[in-house]
Structure formats: structure tokens, C-alpha cells
Amino acid sequence: MEKALNRQRVLLDHLRPSSSSSFSDDSSSLSASACLAGDSAAYHRTNVFGDDVVIVAAHRTAICKSKRGGFKDTYADDILAPVLKALIEKTNLNPNEVGDIVVGTVLAPGSQRASECRMAAFYAGFPETVPVRTVNRQCSSGLQAVADVAAAIRAGFYDIGIGAGLESMTLNPMAWEGSVNPKVKIFEQAQNCLLPMGITSENVAHRFGVSRQQQDQAAVESHRRAAAATAAGKFKDEIIPVATKIVDPKTGEEKPVTISVDDGFRPNASLSDLAKLKPVFKKDGSTTAGNSSQVSDGAGAVLLMKRSVAEKKGLPILGVFRTFAAVGVDPAIMGVGPAVAIPAAVKAAGLELDDIDLFEINEAFASQFVYCRNKLELDPEKINVNGGALAIGHPLGATGARCVATLLHEMKRRGKDCRFGVISMCIGTGMGAAAVFERGGHTDELCNARKIETNNLLSKDAR
């Protein structure tokens, strides 16, 4: 109540007539001042009152190569359960307090995967009273799950929730089941929803002039950064080791293993090696296995809660969920999605692109990654600083949650020099998604994202 009263006093100070004027004067009885909300009324500054949404933990499994990597013989629910369990163990949270678990997942049959996620929650120690559901917005599903939980907390449905992501591309390869509606032939955009993702990559490269060399260079840099980050131990805080098994395909012998390191990146990737690879989707194209994201297995999970609840529990705040945007684009060039979604999410946060210190942009294909980076004129040194999907892999439903863990742990390492971060990805059938996060220790009480340099009396949104 004291905080609410204080807010009223601040507002009344703005509205109080100046001492030299009276209501009978011709001049205004109110004295104006620069808006203390900063330069954007849209930017939600609610941490003072404890009602914004914060992330207190974000973890992931290692990301492993589909059919050949560390999770090739692991059930999907056994991939998800360890990261769910880690959220509870590392925060000492009573699992009974979780209002919902939302899991982004793409390829598995809906009812089966929903059951597997519920099973994983039980393995992880959650009681039957904690509900579980899945969400599917293709490649953004993991991020969508986090956004859905944040929205539910803001709406007051519950105070604590988990947004997660899961994919086993070993168990559930990309395939279309059943026949296709013949009506699709008379709707070009609907027909383009059926294009192989590699063809959409070729369309982006051709339409926007992204060369094969640019694509290969992006892939080499992604592998270099992922290898360097792994060698430096940068992923240790975010990766949860998973005890599982590897089965010898020839003998059937099972070997117990613990998977704790991404196994898809190639430290020695070079332009000369990638140049030898032939195009996969188009005879004279430029999209190859080397400059496309890997098909992968993995999971991630993010624990969100209302700030006042986190503070009452004494939990350290890893990050703050600010905004989310999903947009639609031409299905034939679906890879351009981040170039549209990022500005939308950043604007909704009352920020500008220059305010963003780090980006995690999913590298579905090098063609679309390079296009989006160039279109938005982003500094390459701010993007995927620890490598991206070209090296680490892209387990479709898990990628969004994986990116949240990677981004927030990197922002924490950088400290006061890193305030805002963005996660974005393109989405099959022609969409894009993006979310803005703020480093947990960097929110302020009375001023906004950027200070007004001139006394123009209004926020820019009111002009």
C-alpha cells in the first residue's frame, strides 16, 4: 500500500499548480515536466511494485545429433525430465507451487507427446496436482511456451510456472501423415506452406542475393564460436547432465553414459571444407548440409514467477521477461521472420535496436540468418556470441527454451555491460517470433530504458 501511495504522490506532484499561478489566471494552472517514465509509455516498468515476470532459473540438456548423437537411444520423456527436475532442485522450490508446465514440441503426435510430457513431470517429482500442456508453433514452440507462461502470470492465473521445450528428431522425423487437401492448389500461399524448408532457404538466398560464400562463412563462424564457448566452459551453468544409454547398433550392447556436452559442433570447420559440399535442395542452389541447421535431440526448461514471489523466496533473478511478438510473413521465404518479429518485439518494449546488447537468432539456415542480420543492420559481435544452430543444432520444439538459457546465462556473465537481450527465430509456414529480456540485476525503479536528453515534455509515444 505504501508503494501505491507513493506513486500517487509522484503523480500529484506533476499535476499540482505552480505557486505563482491561480485557477483564475489565463495561463495554465499546471506546470509540465519531462515524463519520468522515460521515452516510451509502452515500456512496462513494474518491478517497483513486484508485479513483473522474472526468470529465476533456465537450463537445458546438451543438444545432440539426431540418430547418431548422445540421445539416439533415449526416450523423449527421459530427455525432458532432468531439466524439469533441475529447476526444482536448484531453487529449492516446492513443486506443489507450480501453476502450470507448458512444453513446446513440434514433430511428435500431439496426444502422445502430451502424455510423454505429463510422464516426464512425474519422473521429475511433480505431484499430480500440477497440470501440463503442450504448445506447437513450429520452431518457436519453446519460446512460445515461455511467453504463454509469462502471459498467464501477468493475467493472474498463477504466480509460478514453467515454460519448456522438447524434441527428439531421432524418434519423430519430419514427415506429413495422410493426404493433402487438393484445395491447396488454388491458394498459392497455402501451397507454399508445404514447401520443404530447404527450398525456402534457397528462395531467400536467391531473392535477396545471399551468396554461398556468405552462408558458408556464417556456418564456420558459428562452429568456431560454439567450440570456443564449450572449451571455455561457458555452457556448464546452463547444461544439465543426463544419465542415459548408448546402444551398439551391431551388437545391441547397452552402455551407460552421461551426456553433458553438445555433440554437433565441428571445431575444425573451414570454408574450404564447406565449399566441397553439394547443394541439397536445388541443383544449382547454395543451401548445403554444412550451412543448414542440424537435426537434433534435446530439451530446455525455464522457471518463471511474479517478482514479488521470487523476492519473498529470496531467489536470485536471472532475467526479466519484457515482451513477445509473433508475426506472419510470406511462407515461400519463411526465413525472413526474425527481420519482422524483432522490430515488433523491441518496439513493444519501448526500445530501439541499438538498445539491445545481445541477440540469439536461430540459425535455421545460413541464408536466412545472414539476411536478417543484414536487413536489421545488426552488429555481428552481438549475435549468437556462443554459436548458433548451425553448430549446436536445432531440436525444433526445444530451441526457444535453449536460447533463453543460453542468452540469460551469457547476460549474467557480462554483468552491468549487458542489459537487454533478444531471442528470435523463423517459423515454418511463414512466421517469425521474438522476445525481449532484461538482465535481472539491471532494472531500475523510477527511470525507463533510456533517459530523455531534451525537455520535450512528452514520451515519444504521445507525439
Side-chain angles (χ1 to χ4, degrees), residues 100-162:
D100 201 1
I101 299 173
V102 182
V103 185
T105 184
V106 178
L107 297 176
S111 59
Q112 176 181 325
R113 181 49 49 85
S115 296
E116 290 171 331
C117 291
R118 177 73 163 155
M119 291 154 57
F122 287 131
Y123 304 158
F126 288 86
E128 63 184 28
T129 54
V130 176
V132 178
R133 72 172 172 89
T134 59
V135 61
N136 187 347
R137 199 198 288 270
Q138 308 280 48
C139 301
S140 71
S141 297
L143 184 62
Q144 185 68 58
V146 173
D148 283 2
V149 171
I153 293 173
R154 281 178 176 166
F157 296 163
Y158 47 80
D159 290 339
I160 301 173
I162 292 173

Side-chain angles (χ1 to χ4, degrees), residues 218-274:
V220 169
E221 183 63 14
S222 185
H223 283 281
R224 185 192 70 78
R225 292 183 179 189
T230 302
K234 289 187 175 182
F235 296 135
K236 287 184 177 180
D237 288 341
E238 65 189 72
I239 292 180
I240 300 303
V242 177
T244 184
K245 64 184 179 182
I246 294 289
V247 179
D248 188 313
K250 295 181 179 179
T251 66
E253 179 184 358
E254 295 185 3
K255 177 184 177 182
V257 294
T258 298
I259 306 300
S260 59
V261 179
D262 302 319
D263 65 19
F265 65 88
R266 298 184 293 276
N268 298 320
S270 67
L271 279 174
S272 59
D273 288 338
L274 292 186

Side-chain angles (χ1 to χ4, degrees), residues 323 325-327 336-349 351-353 356 359-362 372-373 376 378 383 422-425 432-436:
T323 58
V327 301
V336 306
V340 183
I342 290 174
V346 170
K347 181 179 180 181
L351 302 170
E352 297 178 5
L353 287 176
I356 308 304
F359 293 85
E360 283 288 329
I361 301 177
N362 188 45
C372 293
R373 182 188 67 193
L376 298 179
L378 303 180
I383 314 171
V422 163
I423 293 169
S424 186
M425 63 279 294
V436 177

Side-chain angles (χ1 to χ4, degrees), residues 170-224:
T170 294
L171 297 173
N172 307 110
M174 288 184 281
W176 183 279
E177 294 185 8
S179 60
V180 177
N181 189 338
K183 185 189 294 186
V184 75
K185 295 179 180 179
I186 58 176
F187 293 91
E188 181 181 0
Q189 287 186 309
Q191 193 167 8
N192 287 340
C193 290
L194 302 177
L195 287 174
M197 293 298 95
I199 294 298
T200 71
S201 170
E202 293 287 5
N203 290 344
V204 170
H206 176 74
R207 188 176 303 187
F208 301 108
V210 182
S211 70
R212 167 71 182 270
Q213 185 174 6
Q214 286 177 301
Q215 295 174 60
D216 287 350
Q217 182 60 57
V220 169
E221 183 63 14
S222 185
H223 283 281
R224 185 192 70 78

